[in-house]
Amino acid sequence: MSKRHFETDAVRTQLEHSPFLEHSSPLYLTSSFVFEDAEDMRASFTEEKERNIYSRFTNPNTSEFVDKICKLEDAEAGYAFATGMSAVFSTFAALLNSGDHIVSARSVFGSTHALFTTYLPKWNIETSYFKVDEVDRIESLIQPNTKILYAETPTNPAVDILDLELLGKIAKKNKLLLVIDNCFATPYLQNPIQFGADLVIHSATKLIDGQGRVLGGVTVGRADLIREIYLFSRNTGPALSPFNAWVLSKSLETLAVRVDRHCDNALKVAEFLESHANVTQVKYPFLKSHPQYEIAKKQMKQGGNIVAFEIKGGIEAGRKFLNTIKLCSLSANLGDTRTIVTHPASTTHSKLSEEDRLEVGITDGLVRISVGLEHVEDVIADLKQALH
Ligand SMILES: Cc1ncc(COP(=O)(O)O)c(C=O)c1O
Protein backbone atom coordinates (compact mmCIF):
# COMPACT_ATOMS: atom_id res chain seq x y z
CA MET A 1 0.00 0.00 0.00
CA SER A 2 1.29 3.50 -0.74
CA LYS A 3 2.35 5.67 2.21
CA ARG A 4 -0.68 7.10 3.95
CA HIS A 5 -1.26 10.82 4.06
CA PHE A 6 -0.49 12.97 7.12
CA GLU A 7 -4.18 13.52 7.95
CA THR A 8 -4.93 9.80 7.82
CA ASP A 9 -2.03 8.90 10.11
CA ALA A 10 -3.07 11.67 12.52
CA VAL A 11 -6.62 10.29 12.70
CA ARG A 12 -6.15 6.54 12.27
CA THR A 13 -3.07 5.77 14.38
CA GLN A 14 -4.84 4.30 17.34
CA LEU A 15 -4.54 1.88 20.25
CA GLU A 16 -5.89 -1.61 19.86
CA HIS A 17 -9.55 -1.83 20.85
CA SER A 18 -10.42 -2.86 24.40
CA PRO A 19 -13.04 -5.64 24.79
CA PHE A 20 -15.71 -2.88 24.58
CA LEU A 21 -14.77 -2.12 20.93
CA GLU A 22 -14.89 1.64 21.49
CA HIS A 23 -14.52 3.83 18.39
CA SER A 24 -12.46 6.55 20.08
CA SER A 25 -9.43 5.58 22.24
CA PRO A 26 -10.32 5.32 25.94
CA LEU A 27 -8.41 7.06 28.70
CA TYR A 28 -6.19 4.66 30.67
CA LEU A 29 -5.95 6.68 33.85
CA THR A 30 -3.91 4.19 35.85
CA SER A 31 -0.56 4.45 37.61
CA SER A 32 0.38 0.81 37.17
CA PHE A 33 -0.54 -2.43 35.38
CA VAL A 34 -0.99 -5.93 36.83
CA PHE A 35 0.96 -9.11 36.08
CA GLU A 36 -0.49 -12.55 35.55
CA ASP A 37 2.08 -14.30 37.74
CA ALA A 38 5.70 -14.16 38.93
CA GLU A 39 7.09 -15.26 35.57
CA ASP A 40 5.10 -12.58 33.71
CA MET A 41 6.41 -9.99 36.15
CA ARG A 42 10.02 -11.17 35.82
CA ALA A 43 9.92 -11.21 32.02
CA SER A 44 8.30 -7.77 31.94
CA PHE A 45 10.98 -6.20 34.12
CA THR A 46 13.82 -7.72 32.07
CA GLU A 47 12.06 -6.37 28.94
CA GLU A 48 11.77 -9.84 27.41
CA LYS A 49 8.12 -8.84 27.09
CA GLU A 50 7.11 -5.48 25.67
CA ARG A 51 4.28 -4.33 27.90
CA ASN A 52 3.16 -1.55 30.24
CA ILE A 53 4.47 -1.82 33.81
CA TYR A 54 4.11 1.60 35.39
CA SER A 55 2.94 4.88 33.86
CA ARG A 56 6.24 6.62 34.66
CA PHE A 57 7.73 4.24 32.03
CA THR A 58 4.93 3.86 29.48
CA ASN A 59 1.14 4.03 29.35
CA PRO A 60 -1.21 3.16 26.44
CA ASN A 61 -2.27 6.80 26.01
CA THR A 62 1.28 8.17 25.93
CA SER A 63 2.23 5.35 23.52
CA GLU A 64 -0.60 6.29 21.16
CA PHE A 65 0.48 9.94 21.25
CA VAL A 66 4.14 9.03 20.64
CA ASP A 67 3.25 6.63 17.81
CA LYS A 68 1.32 9.38 16.07
CA ILE A 69 4.15 11.92 16.37
CA CYS A 70 6.63 9.29 15.09
CA LYS A 71 4.48 8.70 12.01
CA LEU A 72 3.97 12.42 11.42
CA GLU A 73 7.70 13.19 11.79
CA ASP A 74 8.84 10.01 10.04
CA ALA A 75 10.79 9.03 13.17
CA GLU A 76 11.82 5.59 14.40
CA ALA A 77 10.90 6.07 18.07
CA GLY A 78 9.96 8.63 20.71
CA TYR A 79 9.20 9.43 24.33
CA ALA A 80 6.57 11.84 25.70
CA PHE A 81 7.18 14.34 28.49
CA ALA A 82 5.15 16.47 30.91
CA THR A 83 6.24 19.70 29.17
CA GLY A 84 8.30 20.90 26.24
CA MET A 85 11.04 21.93 28.66
CA SER A 86 11.24 18.47 30.24
CA ALA A 87 11.68 17.11 26.69
CA VAL A 88 14.51 19.58 26.05
CA PHE A 89 16.22 18.99 29.42
CA SER A 90 15.89 15.19 29.42
CA THR A 91 17.21 14.96 25.86
CA PHE A 92 20.38 16.84 26.79
CA ALA A 93 20.76 15.17 30.19
CA ALA A 94 20.39 11.68 28.74
CA LEU A 95 22.82 12.13 25.86
CA LEU A 96 25.57 14.37 27.25
CA ASN A 97 28.43 13.64 29.64
CA SER A 98 30.45 16.01 31.77
CA GLY A 99 32.93 17.77 29.49
CA ASP A 100 30.73 17.66 26.37
CA HIS A 101 30.01 20.77 24.34
CA ILE A 102 26.97 22.10 22.45
CA VAL A 103 26.86 24.45 19.47
CA SER A 104 23.51 26.24 19.40
CA ALA A 105 21.73 29.04 17.61
CA ARG A 106 21.69 32.16 19.82
CA SER A 107 17.93 32.64 19.43
CA VAL A 108 16.42 29.82 21.44
CA PHE A 109 13.45 29.78 23.80
CA GLY A 110 14.24 31.60 27.09
CA SER A 111 14.18 28.51 29.34
CA THR A 112 16.38 26.56 26.90
CA HIS A 113 18.80 29.47 27.05
CA ALA A 114 18.69 29.32 30.87
CA LEU A 115 19.44 25.60 30.69
CA PHE A 116 22.53 26.29 28.54
CA THR A 117 23.83 29.22 30.58
CA THR A 118 22.83 28.37 34.18
CA TYR A 119 22.29 24.64 34.62
CA LEU A 120 24.30 22.57 32.12
CA PRO A 121 27.54 24.40 33.13
CA LYS A 122 27.01 22.94 36.65
CA TRP A 123 27.78 19.57 35.04
CA ASN A 124 30.66 20.98 33.01
CA ILE A 125 28.69 21.15 29.74
CA GLU A 126 29.31 24.39 27.85
CA THR A 127 27.55 25.94 24.86
CA SER A 128 28.85 28.15 22.04
CA TYR A 129 26.39 30.25 20.03
CA PHE A 130 25.96 31.41 16.46
CA LYS A 131 23.55 34.13 15.37
CA VAL A 132 20.90 33.22 12.80
CA ASP A 133 22.66 35.32 10.15
CA GLU A 134 26.08 33.78 10.94
CA VAL A 135 25.61 30.16 9.92
CA ASP A 136 28.96 30.33 8.11
CA ARG A 137 30.57 30.57 11.61
CA ILE A 138 29.12 27.29 12.87
CA GLU A 139 32.05 25.10 11.87
CA SER A 140 34.54 27.43 13.56
CA LEU A 141 32.68 26.89 16.87
CA ILE A 142 32.95 23.10 16.75
CA GLN A 143 35.45 21.64 19.22
CA PRO A 144 36.75 18.06 19.61
CA ASN A 145 34.24 17.61 22.49
CA THR A 146 31.21 19.04 20.63
CA LYS A 147 28.41 16.52 20.59
CA ILE A 148 25.18 18.34 19.70
CA LEU A 149 24.21 20.98 17.14
CA TYR A 150 20.97 22.59 18.32
CA ALA A 151 18.48 25.03 16.80
CA GLU A 152 14.84 26.10 16.65
CA THR A 153 13.31 27.16 13.37
CA PRO A 154 11.29 29.36 13.12
CA THR A 155 12.83 31.01 16.19
CA ASN A 156 10.95 32.37 19.17
CA PRO A 157 10.09 35.29 19.28
CA ALA A 158 11.78 36.90 16.26
CA VAL A 159 10.54 34.32 13.66
CA ASP A 160 13.91 33.88 11.98
CA ILE A 161 14.54 30.81 9.85
CA LEU A 162 17.56 28.49 9.91
CA ASP A 163 18.47 26.34 6.92
CA LEU A 164 17.81 22.74 8.03
CA GLU A 165 19.52 21.23 5.00
CA LEU A 166 22.68 23.19 5.77
CA LEU A 167 22.56 22.25 9.48
CA GLY A 168 22.06 18.61 8.49
CA LYS A 169 25.15 18.69 6.25
CA ILE A 170 27.31 20.37 8.92
CA ALA A 171 26.19 17.86 11.56
CA LYS A 172 26.89 14.89 9.31
CA LYS A 173 30.29 16.14 8.18
CA ASN A 174 31.38 16.80 11.78
CA LYS A 175 29.68 13.71 13.28
CA LEU A 176 27.42 15.77 15.56
CA LEU A 177 23.90 14.97 16.64
CA LEU A 178 21.49 17.46 15.09
CA VAL A 179 18.64 18.25 17.49
CA ILE A 180 15.84 20.53 16.29
CA ASP A 181 13.05 22.14 18.33
CA ASN A 182 10.22 22.01 15.77
CA CYS A 183 7.62 23.62 18.02
CA PHE A 184 6.68 26.63 15.86
CA ALA A 185 6.31 24.60 12.65
CA THR A 186 4.59 21.46 14.00
CA PRO A 187 5.09 18.13 12.19
CA TYR A 188 2.50 19.30 9.66
CA LEU A 189 4.58 22.16 8.24
CA GLN A 190 8.14 20.85 8.56
CA ASN A 191 9.92 17.53 9.13
CA PRO A 192 13.54 18.13 10.22
CA ILE A 193 14.46 14.41 10.02
CA GLN A 194 14.06 14.70 6.26
CA PHE A 195 16.96 17.20 6.32
CA GLY A 196 19.24 15.12 8.55
CA ALA A 197 18.05 15.84 12.11
CA ASP A 198 18.74 12.96 14.51
CA LEU A 199 16.15 14.11 17.04
CA VAL A 200 13.13 16.43 16.89
CA ILE A 201 11.61 18.05 19.98
CA HIS A 202 8.15 19.57 20.38
CA SER A 203 6.46 21.55 23.07
CA ALA A 204 3.05 19.91 22.55
CA THR A 205 1.62 22.70 24.73
CA LYS A 206 1.53 24.94 21.65
CA LEU A 207 -0.15 24.10 18.31
CA ILE A 208 -0.29 20.36 18.98
CA ASP A 209 -2.79 20.93 21.80
CA GLY A 210 -3.83 24.07 19.98
CA GLN A 211 -6.55 24.98 22.43
CA GLY A 212 -4.56 26.24 25.41
CA ARG A 213 -5.53 23.40 27.75
CA VAL A 214 -2.65 21.08 28.62
CA LEU A 215 1.14 21.01 28.82
CA GLY A 216 3.17 18.34 27.08
CA GLY A 217 6.38 17.61 25.23
CA VAL A 218 7.87 14.92 23.03
CA THR A 219 11.23 13.91 21.55
CA VAL A 220 11.32 11.65 18.49
CA GLY A 221 14.07 10.37 16.20
CA ARG A 222 16.76 7.69 16.04
CA ALA A 223 15.78 4.59 18.02
CA ASP A 224 19.23 4.16 19.68
CA LEU A 225 19.13 7.74 21.01
CA ILE A 226 15.50 7.45 22.12
CA ARG A 227 16.44 4.31 24.04
CA GLU A 228 18.97 6.38 26.08
CA ILE A 229 16.36 9.11 26.62
CA TYR A 230 13.76 6.51 27.64
CA LEU A 231 16.07 4.88 30.22
CA PHE A 232 17.00 8.27 31.67
CA SER A 233 13.34 9.33 31.85
CA ARG A 234 12.08 6.04 33.22
CA ASN A 235 14.36 6.59 36.21
CA THR A 236 14.08 10.36 36.63
CA GLY A 237 10.33 10.77 36.09
CA PRO A 238 9.45 13.55 33.58
CA ALA A 239 6.67 11.43 31.99
CA LEU A 240 3.57 12.90 30.34
CA SER A 241 0.34 12.18 32.24
CA PRO A 242 -2.07 9.74 30.53
CA PHE A 243 -4.82 12.37 30.64
CA ASN A 244 -2.72 14.97 28.83
CA ALA A 245 -1.57 12.33 26.34
CA TRP A 246 -5.20 11.45 25.61
CA VAL A 247 -6.05 15.14 25.06
CA LEU A 248 -2.99 15.66 22.83
CA SER A 249 -3.60 12.55 20.77
CA LYS A 250 -7.17 13.74 20.11
CA SER A 251 -5.81 17.18 19.20
CA LEU A 252 -3.52 15.67 16.59
CA GLU A 253 -6.60 14.42 14.72
CA THR A 254 -7.40 18.04 13.82
CA LEU A 255 -3.84 19.42 13.58
CA ALA A 256 -3.79 19.69 9.78
CA VAL A 257 -7.11 21.53 9.43
CA ARG A 258 -6.36 23.81 12.36
CA VAL A 259 -2.85 24.69 11.19
CA ASP A 260 -4.08 25.34 7.62
CA ARG A 261 -6.48 27.97 8.98
CA HIS A 262 -3.89 29.39 11.42
CA CYS A 263 -1.51 29.89 8.48
CA ASP A 264 -4.15 31.50 6.23
CA ASN A 265 -5.06 33.90 9.02
CA ALA A 266 -1.42 34.66 9.89
CA LEU A 267 -0.55 35.49 6.28
CA LYS A 268 -3.49 37.91 6.10
CA VAL A 269 -2.46 39.53 9.40
CA ALA A 270 1.14 39.82 8.15
CA GLU A 271 0.00 41.45 4.89
CA PHE A 272 -2.21 43.89 6.79
CA LEU A 273 0.68 44.86 9.10
CA GLU A 274 3.05 45.31 6.17
CA SER A 275 0.75 47.99 4.78
CA HIS A 276 0.34 49.86 8.10
CA ALA A 277 2.04 53.25 8.58
CA ASN A 278 2.90 52.62 12.27
CA VAL A 279 4.70 49.37 11.51
CA THR A 280 8.30 49.47 10.32
CA GLN A 281 9.05 45.78 9.74
CA VAL A 282 7.02 42.57 9.57
CA LYS A 283 8.58 39.12 9.89
CA TYR A 284 6.54 36.21 8.61
CA PRO A 285 8.29 33.27 6.89
CA PHE A 286 6.00 33.26 3.85
CA LEU A 287 6.19 37.01 3.18
CA LYS A 288 8.59 37.75 0.32
CA SER A 289 10.20 40.43 2.48
CA HIS A 290 11.33 37.87 5.10
CA PRO A 291 15.16 37.71 5.01
CA GLN A 292 15.10 33.90 4.78
CA TYR A 293 11.98 33.59 2.58
CA GLU A 294 13.66 31.21 0.11
CA ILE A 295 14.79 28.88 2.89
CA ALA A 296 11.34 28.96 4.49
CA LYS A 297 9.77 28.01 1.14
CA LYS A 298 12.24 25.14 0.77
CA GLN A 299 11.64 23.53 4.16
CA MET A 300 8.15 24.60 5.28
CA LYS A 301 4.78 23.80 3.79
CA GLN A 302 3.30 27.10 4.98
CA GLY A 303 4.52 29.97 7.15
CA GLY A 304 3.07 29.00 10.57
CA ASN A 305 0.94 31.11 12.90
CA ILE A 306 3.50 33.46 14.46
CA VAL A 307 3.98 36.96 13.07
CA ALA A 308 6.55 39.38 14.51
CA PHE A 309 6.48 43.09 13.76
CA GLU A 310 8.26 46.24 14.76
CA ILE A 311 5.98 48.97 16.06
CA LYS A 312 7.05 52.60 15.54
CA GLY A 313 7.95 54.25 18.86
CA GLY A 314 9.85 51.46 20.68
CA ILE A 315 9.12 50.31 24.24
CA GLU A 316 6.47 52.95 25.02
CA ALA A 317 4.56 52.27 21.80
CA GLY A 318 4.71 48.51 22.53
CA ARG A 319 3.28 49.03 26.02
CA LYS A 320 0.54 51.29 24.69
CA PHE A 321 -0.30 48.71 22.02
CA LEU A 322 -0.78 45.97 24.66
CA ASN A 323 -2.97 48.30 26.74
CA THR A 324 -5.19 49.17 23.78
CA ILE A 325 -5.77 45.62 22.50
CA LYS A 326 -9.36 44.48 23.11
CA LEU A 327 -10.12 41.13 21.43
CA CYS A 328 -6.67 39.50 21.40
CA SER A 329 -5.29 38.12 24.67
CA LEU A 330 -2.20 39.20 26.55
CA SER A 331 -0.82 35.82 27.56
CA ALA A 332 2.45 33.90 27.79
CA ASN A 333 1.25 30.99 25.64
CA LEU A 334 1.15 30.65 21.85
CA GLY A 335 -0.47 28.33 19.33
CA ASP A 336 -3.95 28.70 20.86
CA THR A 337 -7.32 29.12 19.08
CA ARG A 338 -7.29 32.61 20.66
CA THR A 339 -4.97 35.20 19.15
CA ILE A 340 -2.27 36.23 21.64
CA VAL A 341 -0.08 39.32 21.51
CA THR A 342 3.15 39.85 23.45
CA HIS A 343 5.72 42.64 23.63
CA PRO A 344 8.92 40.88 24.77
CA ALA A 345 11.00 44.04 25.52
CA SER A 346 8.56 45.32 28.17
CA THR A 347 7.48 41.90 29.51
CA THR A 348 9.18 38.48 29.12
CA HIS A 349 12.63 39.89 28.26
CA SER A 350 12.49 43.15 30.25
CA LYS A 351 15.23 41.98 32.67
CA LEU A 352 17.75 41.58 29.84
CA SER A 353 19.99 44.49 28.84
CA GLU A 354 19.19 46.08 25.49
CA GLU A 355 22.41 44.59 24.10
CA ASP A 356 21.44 41.05 25.20
CA ARG A 357 17.95 41.51 23.78
CA LEU A 358 19.32 42.63 20.43
CA GLU A 359 21.59 39.55 20.32
CA VAL A 360 18.46 37.39 20.05
CA GLY A 361 16.63 39.75 17.70
CA ILE A 362 14.38 41.41 20.30
CA THR A 363 14.22 45.06 19.41
CA ASP A 364 12.36 47.58 21.64
CA GLY A 365 9.37 47.70 19.33
CA LEU A 366 9.10 43.96 18.56
CA VAL A 367 5.56 42.62 18.96
CA ARG A 368 4.81 38.88 18.56
CA ILE A 369 1.39 37.72 17.50
CA SER A 370 0.27 34.11 17.74
CA VAL A 371 -2.57 34.27 15.26
CA GLY A 372 -5.58 32.22 16.34
CA LEU A 373 -8.73 30.86 14.78
CA GLU A 374 -11.15 33.77 15.31
CA HIS A 375 -12.43 35.33 12.07
CA VAL A 376 -9.35 37.05 10.69
CA GLU A 377 -11.23 40.29 9.95
CA ASP A 378 -12.01 40.65 13.66
CA VAL A 379 -8.36 40.09 14.57
CA ILE A 380 -7.22 42.64 12.01
CA ALA A 381 -9.84 45.16 13.24
CA ASP A 382 -8.48 44.80 16.79
CA LEU A 383 -4.87 45.27 15.66
CA LYS A 384 -5.91 48.29 13.56
CA GLN A 385 -7.56 50.10 16.49
CA ALA A 386 -4.59 49.31 18.77
CA LEU A 387 -2.03 50.63 16.29
CA HIS A 388 -3.52 54.15 16.31
C1 LIG B 1 10.26 26.92 20.92
C2 LIG B 1 9.85 26.44 22.28
N1 LIG B 1 10.45 25.37 22.81
C3 LIG B 1 10.11 24.90 24.03
C4 LIG B 1 9.16 25.52 24.79
C5 LIG B 1 8.83 24.98 26.16
O1 LIG B 1 7.63 24.31 26.18
P1 LIG B 1 6.74 24.11 27.50
O2 LIG B 1 6.20 25.45 27.87
O3 LIG B 1 5.71 23.12 27.07
O4 LIG B 1 7.65 23.57 28.56
C6 LIG B 1 8.49 26.64 24.28
C7 LIG B 1 7.45 27.35 25.07
O5 LIG B 1 7.00 28.43 24.73
C8 LIG B 1 8.85 27.12 22.99
O6 LIG B 1 8.26 28.20 22.45
Side-chain angles (χ1 to χ4, degrees), residues 160-357:
D160 287 308
I161 301 288
L162 282 148
D163 186 340
L164 288 172
E165 191 181 4
L166 178 71
L167 296 183
K169 281 188 183 145
I170 295 173
K172 194 165 180 208
K173 181 176 157 207
N174 294 280
K175 298 193 171 52
L176 305 181
L177 297 177
L178 178 61
V179 182
I180 298 294
D181 182 332
N182 201 24
C183 168
F184 271 32
T186 81
Y188 181 56
L189 299 181
Q190 174 175 279
N191 295 127
I193 289 174
Q194 199 184 314
F195 298 98
D198 298 284
L199 291 170
V200 175
I201 298 178
H202 285 283
S203 164
T205 315
K206 313 299 169 194
L207 284 161
I208 289 179
D209 171 53
Q211 289 144 86
R213 301 163 299 181
V214 301
L215 298 163
V218 65
T219 302
V220 297
R222 261 172 51 189
D224 58 331
L225 302 174
I226 294 294
R227 172 82 185 149
E228 294 298 315
I229 294 167
Y230 164 70
L231 291 174
F232 174 84
S233 306
R234 168 179 166 142
N235 286 308
T236 56
L240 179 64
S241 82
F243 178 76
N244 285 6
W246 179 81
V247 171
L248 293 168
S249 186
K250 284 265 133 219
S251 303
L252 283 173
E253 294 181 15
T254 55
L255 184 74
V257 286
R258 286 187 287 108
V259 172
D260 274 339
R261 180 62 70 86
H262 274 291
C263 294
D264 286 352
N265 287 356
L267 183 60
K268 287 186 183 127
V269 165
E271 284 167 352
F272 156 74
L273 289 168
E274 229 180 11
S275 67
H276 199 284
N278 287 342
V279 172
T280 50
Q281 199 203 354
V282 182
K283 285 260 256 342
Y284 182 68
F286 270 36
L287 275 186
K288 282 212 174 82
S289 56
H290 190 288
Q292 295 101 21
Y293 171 74
E294 293 302 331
I295 302 170
K297 280 272 180 184
K298 180 177 71 169
Q299 64 196 29
M300 296 176 76
K301 199 170 157 192
Q302 295 172 69
N305 83 314
I306 310 291
V307 181
F309 71 93
E310 184 69 26
I311 192 166
K312 255 190 206 160
I315 295 223
E316 259 324 298
R319 243 188 229 127
K320 189 168 155 265
F321 174 79
L322 289 193
N323 283 333
T324 320
I325 276 290
K326 290 195 172 85
L327 176 78
C328 303
S329 314
L330 313 187
S331 175
N333 200 17
L334 59 92
D336 195 316
T337 49
R338 287 158 284 239
T339 298
I340 295 169
V341 293
T342 52
H343 177 236
S346 71
T347 57
T348 46
H349 293 71
S350 59
K351 288 200 191 80
L352 263 66
S353 69
E354 192 181 352
E355 195 188 348
D356 285 349
R357 280 204 304 267

Side-chain angles (χ1 to χ4, degrees), residues 11 20 73 84:
V11 171
F20 295 109
E73 285 285 13

Side-chain angles (χ1 to χ4, degrees), residues 2 18 20 64 68 123-124 131-132 136 171 178-179 186-187 214 232 238 240 255 266 275 314 329 371 377 387:
S2 61
S18 82
F20 295 109
E64 181 184 283
K68 274 191 193 178
W123 297 295
N124 192 25
K131 288 196 199 158
V132 286
D136 48 348
L178 178 61
V179 182
T186 81
V214 301
F232 174 84
L240 179 64
L255 184 74
S275 67
S329 314
V371 181
E377 284 172 17
L387 279 167

Side-chain angles (χ1 to χ4, degrees), residues 9-24:
D9 277 336
V11 171
R12 288 286 172 181
T13 305
Q14 203 165 344
L15 286 171
E16 275 173 36
H17 289 306
S18 82
F20 295 109
L21 297 183
E22 65 284 337
H23 195 194
S24 170

Side-chain angles (χ1 to χ4, degrees), residues 103-107 127-139 141 149-152 162 167 170 359:
V103 172
S104 170
R106 187 74 182 80
S107 311
T127 305
S128 303
Y129 302 99
F130 60 92
K131 288 196 199 158
V132 286
D133 56 356
E134 292 178 348
V135 282
D136 48 348
R137 271 192 67 226
I138 297 177
E139 290 203 270
L141 300 173
L149 178 59
Y150 185 79
E152 291 168 14
L162 282 148
L167 296 183
I170 295 173
E359 276 272 295

